[in-house]
Amino acid sequence: MDKVLIAMSGGVDSSVAAFLMKEQGCECIGATMKLFHNEDIGVSRTKTCCSLEDVEDARLVALRLGIPYYVFNFSDDFKGQVIDRFISSYERGATPNPCIDCNRYLKFERLYERARILGCDAIVTGHYARIEQENGRWLLKKSLDESKDQSYVLYSLTQDQLAHTRLPLGAMHKSETRRIAEEQGFYNADKPDSQDICFVPDGDYAGFIARYTGRDCPAGDFVDESGRVLGRHKGIVHYTVGQRKGLGIAADAPLYVKRIDAQENRVVLSGNDALFSRELTANNFNWIAYDVPPRELCATARVRYHQREQAATVTVLEDGHVHLVFDEPQRAITPGQAVVLYDGDRVTAMDSATNSAYMAMRLVDQRPESATPVECAFSGPVMLSLAISASLFWVLFGEDTLMLSPVSSIRTLTVGSGFSPDQPLSRVAGFGMGPL
């Protein structure tokens, strides 16, 4: 009989996941990660996944199921690995996805550590995705309910983590999940899904950053692509690539945020057409499904969580680089977000690189593990920064071409030549990781 640790958020999904594992005969332990007190950061207790109310909901479900229940205080880790990264990304002009960081560093790292201490064989979550083993390899696949699919946020799972994770809702539809919760008399059966970042449920990221840090982001210039000043912005944390609303700039044609120059505290505006790009070049893929990947393959890709997948051709070059060309130009590929490749229902590339200063592209796949340098070529002024964590590398982008390596070998960067700051972003750099 498997012994499993169930990550219980207090929501209906993780509650039903716990019920299903108990029905399968597993020895179940429920656990909630206490990440912060909502009231401590000045937000409502409702519509989040981490409030005191959620802890009570999870405890009541565990009590009804007759399983042990623990609350683990990971607030220090959450501050350092999620909130601080979130703030730092916005201050660098990127748009982060903190749920991915929470999964990587808290749910699938710290919670795994606790599971091992408790002698558990696996952890269980309420994510809508599937894990299957084929030909000795563990694969991450989409949920059968594609409207709820969460495979995008699980791309950082390693082979070992996939082998020790159970996702019992992956073959279910949300309506079935709620039906089971109602039949079991769960108090949270009708609880609404959390819609926003748990620590910023009102969606006012700039307001949260100001409250949390106690400092205001300085105002600066809106400029066009030639550098001509168009007006004043309220601080770069108020903006993201592709944004139109809230600019307060009168113009003959609609203007959008094309890029954010954190170093110069400028927000560059353009027309909608200038937001599109088709290509990215990356390397350091973790090709989990193949010992040696095919030279060329067709895939679909998302460059943001809820985007419809877009067809692309992926070419593995002789030097190990991987070149991706979308069939159609993609709008507003945003710094700090991820690009995920799919082959049908299977996540075909897997990478746990994270936010960069300008353009962070995580190529997610199930392929063999490797770690080689990556050359990133692009046009447009880009901020340079570096951050290193224990099991990944963060990308550095300079002002034209950079040669990047994994953390185990990265020491210096070589910046190429031929950069023209007036050119549109024509090539977007991507990156990946290998075992360190």
Side-chain angles (χ1 to χ4, degrees):
M1 175 171 50
D2 286 343
K3 183 177 182 180
V4 296
L5 181 65
I6 302 160
M8 301 182 69
S9 67
V12 64
D13 295 330
S14 57
S15 298
V16 172
F19 166 76
L20 293 174
M21 297 308 293
K22 186 178 181 186
E23 286 290 289
Q24 292 178 21
C26 294
E27 180 183 350
C28 299
I29 300 173
T32 298
M33 300 184 298
K34 190 70 190 78
L35 306 177
F36 60 88
H37 294 282
N38 284 18
E39 295 79 4
D40 291 345
I41 57 174
V43 299
S44 168
R45 297 176 62 195
T46 60
K47 293 186 179 180
T48 77
C49 60
C50 312
S51 67
L52 291 175
E53 181 180 278
D54 296 317
V55 171
E56 181 63 12
D57 289 346
R59 186 189 67 81
L60 290 173
V61 170
L63 181 65
R64 188 171 188 85
L65 292 174
I67 64 175
Y69 174 73
Y70 299 92
V71 176
F72 299 137
N73 183 5
F74 293 156
S75 56
D76 288 344
D77 299 272
F78 188 77
K79 177 184 181 300
Q81 300 288 12
V82 180
I83 295 181
D84 289 351
R85 290 176 186 272
F86 174 86
I87 294 170
S88 177
S89 292
Y90 266 104
E91 291 179 337
R92 296 195 313 269
T95 302
N97 190 329
C99 295
I100 290 176
D101 286 336
C102 187
N103 280 329
R104 177 190 291 123
Y105 299 114
L106 279 299
K107 189 167 292 181
F108 295 108
E109 186 171 301
R110 295 288 283 115
L111 199 60
Y112 265 100
E113 294 173 3
R114 294 297 176 93
R116 286 193 292 268
I117 291 172
L118 292 170
C120 294
D121 303 297
I123 70 167
V124 178
T125 79
H127 286 101
Y128 286 85
R130 293 174 294 149
I131 296 172
E132 297 179 3
Q133 191 176 34
E134 296 180 7
N135 300 319
R137 311 296 296 184
W138 292 98
L139 304 177
L140 176 64
K141 296 187 176 183
K142 296 179 191 173
S143 167
L144 294 186
D145 183 355
E146 290 204 27
S147 67
K148 298 298 294 182
D149 176 55
Q150 294 174 301
S151 59
Y152 181 96
V153 299
L154 298 176
Y155 71 84
S156 64
L157 291 175
T158 66
Q159 279 287 295
D160 182 63
Q161 290 169 336
L162 288 166
H164 295 92
T165 300
R166 307 289 183 267
L167 305 177
L169 304 188
M172 295 172 54
H173 286 257
K174 182 70 177 209
S175 58
E176 186 179 0
T177 301
R178 289 203 181 276
R179 178 184 60 78
I180 292 173
E182 290 171 357
E183 291 175 351
Q184 297 305 311
F186 290 165
Y187 176 77
N188 57 5
D190 295 323
K191 187 174 182 177
D193 295 336
S194 56
Q195 299 295 324
D196 300 287
I197 295 172
C198 64
F199 54 93
V200 197
D202 62 359
D204 182 6
Y205 306 148
F208 165 77
I209 292 171
R211 291 192 305 271
Y212 194 84
T213 64
R215 60 178 182 266
D216 293 324
C217 186
D221 289 332
F222 281 123
V223 299
D224 65 15
E225 293 177 89
S226 68
R228 180 170 61 93
V229 175
L230 302 175
R232 298 285 288 175
H233 67 69
K234 298 181 293 184
I236 63 172
V237 298
H238 290 268
Y239 309 99
T240 187
V241 172
Q243 178 178 335
R244 178 184 176 186
K245 294 182 178 180
L247 302 182
I249 298 293
D252 294 335
L255 292 174
Y256 302 83
V257 175
K258 180 178 180 180
R259 63 176 177 268
I260 299 170
D261 182 349
Q263 189 171 28
E264 299 297 329
N265 192 26
R266 301 191 307 177
V267 176
V268 181
L269 306 182
S270 72
N272 188 59
D273 289 348
L275 299 178
F276 288 81
S277 59
R278 288 189 62 201
E279 300 184 30
L280 63 87
T281 300
N283 199 10
N284 218 24
F285 272 47
N286 183 22
W287 298 98
I288 297 177
Y290 304 103
D291 288 332
V292 179
R295 180 68 179 272
E296 183 172 296
L297 64 145
C298 294
T300 58
R302 297 179 192 170
V303 295
R304 58 184 58 83
Y305 187 4
H306 296 295
Q307 181 199 27
R308 179 183 299 177
E309 292 166 37
Q310 301 294 316
T313 299
V314 180
T315 303
V316 181
L317 306 178
E318 291 184 2
D319 62 0
H321 291 70
V322 176
H323 189 61
L324 190 149
V325 180
F326 288 99
D327 289 6
E328 300 293 335
Q330 301 303 301
R331 184 183 184 277
I333 299 177
T334 304
Q337 296 294 293
V339 59
V340 180
L341 304 182
Y342 292 87
D343 177 10
D345 66 350
R346 183 176 66 179
V347 180
T348 61
M350 196 168 185
D351 174 342
S352 49
T354 185
N355 298 332
S356 75
Y358 187 73
M359 184 57 63
M361 309 297 293
R362 306 181 185 94
L363 298 181
V364 178
D365 203 303
Q366 306 269 344
R367 314 282 176 167
E369 299 174 348
S370 61
T372 53
V374 54
E375 182 178 356
C376 302
F378 50 87
S379 298
V382 181
M383 183 181 175
L384 180 68
S385 70
L386 170 65
I388 294 178
S389 188
S391 61
L392 60 138
F393 74 88
W394 284 26
V395 169
L396 297 97
F397 290 105
E399 291 188 343
D400 44 1
T401 302
L402 303 181
M403 185 66 72
L404 309 181
S405 300
V407 161
S408 57
S409 61
I410 191 167
R411 292 296 180 270
T412 62
L413 291 175
T414 301
V415 179
S417 59
F419 168 72
S420 174
D422 295 330
Q423 294 177 357
L425 184 65
S426 59
R427 296 186 66 198
V428 180
F431 56 92
M433 72 157 284
L436 302 179

